[in-house]
Amino acid sequence: MIIAITNQKGGVGKSTTAINLAAGLAMEGYRVLLIDLDPQANITKVLINPDEEVPLQRSLYNVIINFYPLSNIIQETKTTNLFIAPSHIRLSGADLELSQALDNRSERLKRALLPIMKDFDHIIIDTPPSLGLLTINAFAACEKVLIPVSAGFFALTGLVQLQETIGMVKQTQLNPNLEIMGVLCTFYEHTNVSRDVEKQLREYFGEQVFETLIPKNIRLEEAHSNHTNIFVYSPASSGAVAYKELVKEVLER
Ligand SMILES: Nc1ncnc2c1ncn2[C@@H]1O[C@H](COP(=O)(O)OP(=O)(O)O)[C@@H](O)[C@H]1O
Ligand SMILES: [Mg+2]
């Protein structure tokens, strides 16, 4: 399954969900590839040794802009079965460079994935906080979209625009079978605001909302700074328990 983790809003838990969902699937024995399509390279910084800077040539920039083979940039991580295609800060210019490109600017990632798809059971794509061409590349390349929504005030703003963009990708034949796999409520707290957001999400998206609620849990952030996932860093934490449940739900969908 190829899953893009998307919400054009920043700080909603996309990268955290990408890392922990991918790690959880890898720990279940699946071969998993994480694609860090965000120029901020959060996932890359967490999972690749910070002393070894990823060279531009060995990053997704080279794959998206110069058609360099994706297989040449994939690296192992400390987690068995989990591999990463690293980002690079230069990817921040890729949206502009792509907008001037003439051939298949929305299908660069899709094409790059074709020769390596069979090597992985699951591919998880982390996307930048925008609906630009990099995110469109993710929508064209994936089968399903997972949308994390942070359970705070203004949680729902932008979701209509996101749905419209997904609809546009389907209509223009870029990816006619694209589907929303699910909406994931993140940063959940036992407050009225969180409960309201959850209620509104369930009213609006119905069954598409995952049963699993990802709690606000500082351990999730600490795991990043320890360059690992939540299952290794704090297996008994509420964050680990929740992401484990999410892995189960994703496998059922
Ligand atoms: N459930 C959570 N509880 C507490 N902190 C979280 C949680 N999810 C993410 N964070 C932290 O919040 C920040 C934003 O999360 P991140 O996953 O990077 O969001 P995005 O990729 O959508 O911008 C990061 O510092 C991350 O460590
Ligand atoms: Mg992110």
Side-chain angles (χ1 to χ4, degrees):
M1 178 82 66
I2 308 178
I3 306 168
I5 315 285
T6 305
N7 185 332
Q8 73 272 35
K9 216 189 275 187
V12 298
K14 287 183 292 296
S15 300
T16 304
T17 299
I19 288 182
N20 292 308
L21 174 60
L25 288 167
M27 286 167 155
E28 291 284 323
Y30 296 99
R31 259 177 89 85
V32 183
L33 174 62
L34 248 178
I35 297 192
D36 187 0
L37 211 54
D38 184 356
Q40 288 171 41
N42 291 345
I43 288 188
T44 301
K45 286 175 200 152
V46 170
L47 296 184
I48 293 184
N49 183 346
D51 303 331
E52 296 165 24
E53 211 189 312
V54 177
L56 186 61
Q57 197 213 356
R58 298 245 159 203
S59 74
L60 279 164
Y61 177 86
N62 207 15
V63 173
I64 300 287
I65 300 298
N66 301 323
F67 302 97
Y68 190 68
L70 184 56
S71 56
N72 289 5
I73 71 156
I74 293 173
Q75 297 194 27
E76 285 182 338
T77 70
K78 277 186 284 183
T79 306
T80 314
N81 293 328
L82 180 61
F83 299 81
I84 180 168
S87 179
H88 192 283
I89 183 72
R90 274 281 296 280
L91 209 51
S92 57
D95 253 301
L96 186 63
E97 289 183 61
L98 281 177
S99 71
Q100 291 158 349
L102 297 172
D103 57 334
N104 282 332
R105 59 191 188 185
S106 304
E107 292 174 298
R108 300 286 176 99
L109 181 62
K110 187 185 195 169
R111 276 211 233 161
L113 280 175
L114 285 177
I116 60 131
M117 262 159 62
K118 59 179 188 323
D119 301 333
F120 297 95
D121 299 305
H122 298 288
I123 298 176
I124 310 288
I125 310 171
D126 189 25
T127 62
S130 80
L131 291 173
L133 277 167
L134 285 172
T135 299
I136 300 294
N137 265 269
F139 288 165
C142 74
E143 296 167 82
K144 298 195 184 229
V145 178
L146 190 159
I147 306 171
V149 176
S150 155
F153 201 54
F154 295 130
L156 295 112
T157 49
L159 288 181
V160 170
Q161 199 194 354
L162 177 53
Q163 278 182 307
E164 281 171 5
T165 306
I166 292 170
M168 185 269 292
V169 169
K170 286 169 77 126
Q171 264 174 21
T172 55
Q173 301 298 307
L174 208 50
N175 187 352
N177 302 319
L178 183 61
E179 272 178 46
I180 295 179
M181 164 185 262
V183 175
L184 178 66
C185 193
T186 58
F187 289 88
Y188 191 84
E189 292 177 283
H190 293 284
T191 60
N192 289 334
V193 173
S194 274
R195 275 189 277 267
D196 271 1
V197 169
E198 186 198 356
K199 185 159 164 276
Q200 287 177 42
L201 281 177
R202 293 200 191 278
E203 272 167 20
Y204 188 70
F205 287 99
E207 300 266 282
Q208 281 183 325
V209 182
F210 287 104
E211 288 296 322
T212 306
L213 299 168
I214 304 296
K216 189 166 183 177
N217 179 206
I218 190 69
R219 299 277 176 251
L220 288 164
E221 183 147 17
E222 290 170 2
H224 294 331
S225 51
N226 280 275
H227 298 280
T228 189
N229 60 66
I230 192 65
F231 308 111
V232 168
Y233 178 70
S234 184
S237 63
S238 60
V241 172
Y243 273 111
K244 196 159 191 161
E245 269 173 45
L246 178 69
V247 170
K248 239 198 270 165
E249 267 197 90
V250 164
L251 287 171
E252 282 162 11
R253 287 192 181 195

